[in-house]
Amino acid sequence: MRHLLVAAVAANLLAGTAWAAENAIVVEQPWARAAATGNSAAYLVIENRGTAPDRLVGVASPAARTAELHTSQVDAKGVASMRPLQAVELTPGGKAVLAPGGMHIMLMGLAQPLKDGQHFPLTLTFEKAGAVTVDVAVQGRPTAGHDHQKPMNMGN
């Protein structure tokens, strides 16, 4: 029976889905932008299928010196800015979508270029569910290492 559970977990990780069974946290569609140097960003969808709230409070990956939760916004003048987030709230039955132009995971100081088709591990730390590691697929043509099309204001 234990072998079946291990096989099911491995199959879901390979398929790009991971979960924390204790709190019913499900992570789907993890991907990152290809980048030649510098920084990149990772995106994913987190669903809380449980009955208690939880929070994503940390991220880490050997693919980068630093990984942080960030959000991007564009003001009325069309100026884009990016700010760090302390946490991502997950209400019971709710979803958090980390996608281009909004919440995302900044990968700063890449250990090596991220090339289309590669994969790397990303560990998400939840306040209640604990650590969940997902397999992130790198997609797209490598850029110079900047995730956004417009210059960003890195304010706090």
Side-chain angles (χ1 to χ4, degrees), residues 45-58:
V45 177
I46 306 167
E47 184 177 358
N48 182 353
R49 294 184 183 169
T51 57
D54 205 342
R55 297 171 11 124
L56 174 62
V57 294

Side-chain angles (χ1 to χ4, degrees), residues 29-118:
Q29 305 168 20
W31 69 280
R33 291 189 191 256
T37 61
N39 305 330
S40 185
Y43 311 102
L44 44 82
V45 177
I46 306 167
E47 184 177 358
N48 182 353
R49 294 184 183 169
T51 57
D54 205 342
R55 297 171 11 124
L56 174 62
V57 294
V59 291
S61 176
R65 176 180 31 83
T66 304
E68 295 179 356
L69 297 167
H70 279 211
T71 189
S72 297
Q73 298 173 295
V74 179
D75 68 16
K77 296 180 183 178
V79 176
S81 64
M82 186 168 38
R83 301 194 188 292
L85 292 173
Q86 295 299 313
V88 174
E89 303 293 328
L90 297 159
T91 59
K95 280 188 181 180
V97 178
L98 282 68
M103 291 186 295
H104 58 278
I105 298 166
M106 280 300 303
L107 301 168
M108 297 177 286
L110 295 176
Q112 61 187 27
L114 296 180
K115 297 177 184 175
D116 186 36
Q118 291 180 325

Side-chain angles (χ1 to χ4, degrees), residues 5 10 48-49 60 72 127 132 139:
L5 178 59
N48 182 353
R49 294 184 183 169
S72 297
E127 190 171 76
V132 176
Q139 300 176 4

